[in-house]
Amino acid sequence: MGRNPSRSTKTFIDRFKISKGKFAFLLLCLDAILVSLIISYVPYTKIDWDAYMSQVDGFLSGERDYSKLKGDTGPLVYPAGFLYVYSLVKFITGGLVFPAQILFGILYIVNLALVQFIYIRTDVVPWWVFGLLSLSKRVHSIFVLRLFNDCFAMTFLHASMALLLCQKWYLALLLFSGAVSIKMNVLLFAPPLLLLMLKGLSFKGVFLSLLGACLLQINLGLPFLSSYPMEYISRAFNLGRVFIHFWSVNFKFVPEKVFVSKEFASALLFLHLTTLLVFAHYKWSKYEGGLIYLLRTWLKDTVSKLTSFQLFSCKSRLRMLNNEHIVTVMFVGNFIGIVFARSLHYQFYSWYFYSLPFLLWKTTFPTFIRLILFAGVELCWNVYPSTFYSSLLLLCIHLCILWGLWMAPVEPSYVGEKKSHTKD
């Protein structure tokens, strides 16, 4: 009797599904060795560390006026969580670079483990693609040679996503808020996260989650809000900052006069918000009948519970969201923000590098095209300084990936929901 080909194939795939955890652990060990070698033999690059320490020294000496917290690269422009984190880093390392590199090396491994956990729980990429997560020269540099605060912010963000996959919404929102308090780039994940909350939580769940996140922000900023509130808010949450054209990795091909103009910023913001809305309506809310129907249904349910005095006595969670859907919405939402960001500095690569393999394997591109796109992005981020052509190439690759994500099949929103066979 002949073997059943489909059963044989399934057995083969299942065998490698089990091996993903072991392969991920092997990669962690190998990457830990690589990080140790980088710290030992590659010279540290002085960029922001001294400025961080100067700003922390001012905070620890009692200064609460944000306009007076400065370093050699300029004034402090991050929320209060940054000061608490780097105060702890200074306490552990004594403000010395080498111990800090070791600490950031540990942080790199922790972050990588969190990302691997996310990938394993979603089961979108084959086992060997995990290796791509350890192949970025630029990301290794950002963590252990530059010691940027982006590293802490993204580790907190990935931890928050891991908690979402475990359906720990309240704790996930606290960690998300903590990530925002370290660096505001995490707000790029806020629109997709809000959509997921509306899909998975009742009014009670959304309200309590957002309340916890807001209270954390207030508590972290309280020493500054109670003394110099305007200085804190204007410095820590300045959404209108204009970055220097020379240091931008993207849109370098745009003339500097246009690059710094309000019209260019407004056009990119419009494209960002429009693309988010289009994806939210046609892709992320497809199974609910579109974004408008989703919002109308959620509001109708909320009003119904309000009139029956059950608004806070009902369950916090409505339905359990599918893990792949959670990660897809979060990663794609952030990537849309990256595509239309006016300026991306070199450390900003850490904002989305770890999502690239997932995003590429969500598309229907052939594997060799996915690998070429991945290598192309890495190449662009390793051109220093960026050029007209490297920034133009990066934009083209980003748009290609975005198009692939738009054309990709839509995953089910909820656990137990069957995948639609209709075309988007």
Side-chain angles (χ1 to χ4, degrees):
M1 191 174 187
R3 295 177 63 188
N4 186 329
S6 62
R7 184 176 180 181
S8 175
T9 303
K10 184 180 179 184
T11 304
F12 179 80
I13 295 173
D14 286 344
R15 183 156 53 104
F16 281 102
K17 279 185 180 178
I18 297 172
S19 69
K20 278 186 179 180
K22 296 178 181 178
F23 186 67
F25 180 74
L26 175 63
L27 282 175
L28 280 179
C29 295
L30 293 176
D31 215 340
I33 295 172
L34 176 60
V35 166
S36 300
L37 293 173
I38 293 173
I39 294 172
S40 300
Y41 296 104
V42 181
Y44 154 76
T45 307
K46 177 183 175 182
I47 299 181
D48 282 343
W49 174 257
D50 289 345
Y52 290 171
M53 292 299 100
S54 296
Q55 292 158 358
V56 166
D57 285 339
F59 168 63
L60 294 177
S61 64
E63 182 60 69
R64 296 297 179 263
D65 184 347
Y66 241 62
S67 64
K68 296 180 180 179
L69 292 174
K70 300 178 181 180
D72 55 7
T73 57
L76 177 58
V77 292
Y78 308 120
F82 162 84
L83 288 172
Y84 296 115
V85 168
Y86 274 84
S87 294
L88 179 61
V89 171
K90 183 178 177 65
F91 175 78
I92 295 173
T93 65
L96 301 176
V97 170
F98 183 68
Q101 287 184 280
I102 296 174
L103 179 62
F104 272 77
I106 296 171
L107 181 69
Y108 172 90
I109 296 301
V110 170
N111 179 65
L112 180 59
L114 288 168
V115 174
Q116 289 178 341
F117 174 81
I118 293 169
Y119 274 58
I120 290 173
R121 289 295 292 263
T122 53
D123 200 28
V124 168
V125 305
W127 63 273
W128 58 269
V129 173
F130 279 57
L132 299 180
L133 297 171
S134 299
L135 292 183
S136 175
K137 174 185 176 182
R138 177 62 63 187
V139 171
H140 280 94
S141 174
I142 290 169
F143 270 82
V144 297
L145 297 180
R146 269 75 172 179
L147 315 179
F148 287 120
N149 61 327
D150 306 73
C151 306
F152 279 102
M154 293 311 298
T155 301
F156 272 63
L157 184 277
H158 291 142
S160 174
M161 288 183 62
L163 287 169
L164 287 178
L165 298 182
C166 298
Q167 303 298 317
K168 305 294 183 182
W169 287 89
Y170 296 152
L171 189 54
L173 263 291
L174 286 176
L175 277 180
F176 181 84
S177 182
V180 172
S181 76
I182 298 171
K183 191 159 188 176
M184 281 204 307
N185 70 282
V186 178
L187 286 176
L188 291 177
F189 290 91
L193 177 58
L194 179 59
L195 178 64
L196 291 173
M197 292 170 66
L198 293 176
K199 296 179 74 169
L201 300 178
S202 64
F203 175 85
K204 175 184 175 181
V206 172
F207 176 80
L208 293 178
S209 297
L210 293 179
L211 179 63
C214 291
L215 288 177
L216 179 63
Q217 286 294 326
I218 293 171
N219 282 322
L220 290 174
L222 196 58
F224 310 98
L225 291 170
S226 60
S227 50
Y228 298 94
M230 294 308 300
E231 287 79 0
Y232 175 67
I233 295 172
S234 63
R235 296 275 184 169
F237 299 98
N238 182 6
L239 297 175
R241 291 173 61 201
V242 179
F243 292 96
I244 300 174
H245 179 257
F246 176 81
W247 294 112
S248 184
V249 179
N250 65 330
F251 292 115
K252 194 69 173 288
F253 59 89
V254 175
E256 185 173 3
K257 185 177 180 180
V258 176
F259 181 88
V260 300
S261 68
K262 291 184 178 179
E263 292 79 9
F264 185 57
S266 298
L268 289 175
L269 178 60
F270 174 78
L271 289 171
H272 178 193
L273 296 178
T274 301
T275 307
L276 277 176
L277 286 173
V278 170
F279 267 81
H281 183 72
Y282 291 103
K283 303 290 285 187
W284 304 334
S285 304
K286 178 182 177 180
Y287 282 81
E288 291 81 10
L291 179 62
I292 295 174
Y293 185 79
L294 169 66
L295 293 174
R296 188 168 58 192
T297 303
W298 190 86
L299 288 172
K300 183 179 179 181
D301 179 70
T302 300
V303 172
S304 174
K305 288 184 171 60
L306 177 63
T307 55
S308 58
F309 303 99
Q310 295 178 341
L311 199 59
F312 286 97
S313 61
C314 63
K315 293 182 178 179
S316 298
R317 195 164 65 197
L318 294 175
R319 297 179 65 182
M320 185 174 292
L321 294 176
N322 178 24
N323 284 344
E324 183 180 340
H325 183 63
I326 291 174
V327 178
T328 299
V329 173
M330 291 289 282
F331 277 168
V332 176
N334 176 65
F335 182 69
I336 291 171
I338 294 293
V339 173
F340 298 109
R342 174 163 54 168
S343 179
L344 295 174
H345 287 191
Y346 284 95
Q347 65 267 35
F348 299 178
Y349 189 27
S350 61
W351 296 2
Y352 77 112
F353 165 75
Y354 287 105
S355 68
L356 279 176
F358 182 93
L359 295 175
L360 288 168
W361 261 260
K362 281 293 294 183
T363 70
T364 56
F365 296 147
T367 298
F368 77 95
I369 295 295
R370 292 165 173 160
L371 293 174
I372 289 173
L373 292 173
F374 180 85
V377 173
E378 178 70 16
L379 173 65
C380 292
W381 281 94
N382 281 283
V383 174
Y384 178 81
S386 61
T387 65
F388 178 100
Y389 296 105
S390 68
S391 64
L392 182 60
L393 176 61
L394 182 64
L395 177 62
C396 291
I397 295 175
H398 281 171
L399 292 175
C400 182
I401 296 173
L402 189 62
W403 174 252
L405 292 167
W406 173 254
M407 298 301 295
V410 178
E411 71 287 338
S413 297
Y414 304 99
V415 173
E417 197 171 46
K418 292 184 179 180
K419 196 168 187 176
S420 172
H421 295 288
T422 60
K423 292 184 179 180
D424 298 334

